[in-house]
Amino acid sequence: MMEGRKAALLTLSYLGAIRSVPNYNVMGLAKASLESNVYYMAQSLGPKGIRVNAVSAGPIKTLAASGIANFGEKLDLVAQNAPLRRNVTIEEVGNAAAFLLSDLASGITGEITYVDAGSTRPQAQNNPTPWTNKKRAQGAFFIAMQPRVIYLRSHSAGF
């Protein structure tokens, strides 16, 4: 480590760390472990001035992704339902990584930053029409990505 300069570690994760994603299988377990490791390493390396973070990228068309069945359809489905109505690019993931590794992020550690056009956040689906059988099969990937949000109302608290 250079004198006066702090170090930063960064790793790449994916949504399968926190949600069940069809066909992701054991990689989901590996990513969950990786994200947990980010928290523990941030705690233990923080006193030495070392920041530890992760970027959880949305699906991107890469050579590795070409081995996933129907990946193009999954990309289309995510793009249709993401708040930004598109998928992210490799450049956008790289920009987030460069930020987290730079001194501009000197106060950030132990974080998982989602670079996914908003596709992992709870939101209403943009296509409210019922799924057809074909759409249902294609949509299984996206539905697995959507968290379940339950709003509780307390009458005694006046909400």
Side-chain angles (χ1 to χ4, degrees), residues 1-9 45-51 100-103 105-107:
M1 189 163 59
M2 296 171 54
E3 185 64 35
R5 185 163 172 99
K6 302 296 180 182
L9 300 174
L45 297 176
K48 297 177 182 179
I50 301 172
R51 297 179 292 112
L100 287 170
L101 290 169
S102 77
D103 289 339
S106 61

Side-chain angles (χ1 to χ4, degrees), residues 68-144:
I68 299 172
N70 303 322
F71 188 74
E73 294 173 5
K74 293 171 184 174
L75 278 173
D76 292 342
L77 192 60
V78 169
Q80 291 169 11
N81 291 283
L84 292 180
R85 305 297 190 271
R86 63 179 180 81
N87 288 294
V88 294
T89 65
I90 292 172
E91 289 78 16
E92 289 171 320
V93 174
N95 288 342
F99 165 72
L100 287 170
L101 290 169
S102 77
D103 289 339
L104 295 172
S106 61
I108 301 173
T109 192
E111 294 293 332
I112 311 301
T113 301
Y114 291 87
V115 183
D116 59 6
S119 64
T120 60
R121 296 291 163 242
Q123 71 258 351
Q125 289 191 5
N126 301 321
N127 183 4
T129 58
W131 295 93
T132 62
N133 286 341
K134 183 178 179 186
K135 284 285 188 184
R136 188 169 297 145
Q138 292 172 342
F141 177 78
F142 180 74
I143 291 169

Side-chain angles (χ1 to χ4, degrees), residues 7-12 32-54 108-112:
L9 300 174
L10 185 73
T11 189
L12 190 62
S33 177
L34 178 104
E35 288 189 10
S36 182
N37 196 34
V38 166
Y39 308 135
Y40 282 93
M41 287 181 64
Q43 181 67 35
S44 65
L45 297 176
K48 297 177 182 179
I50 301 172
R51 297 179 292 112
V52 182
N53 294 294
I108 301 173
T109 192
E111 294 293 332
I112 311 301

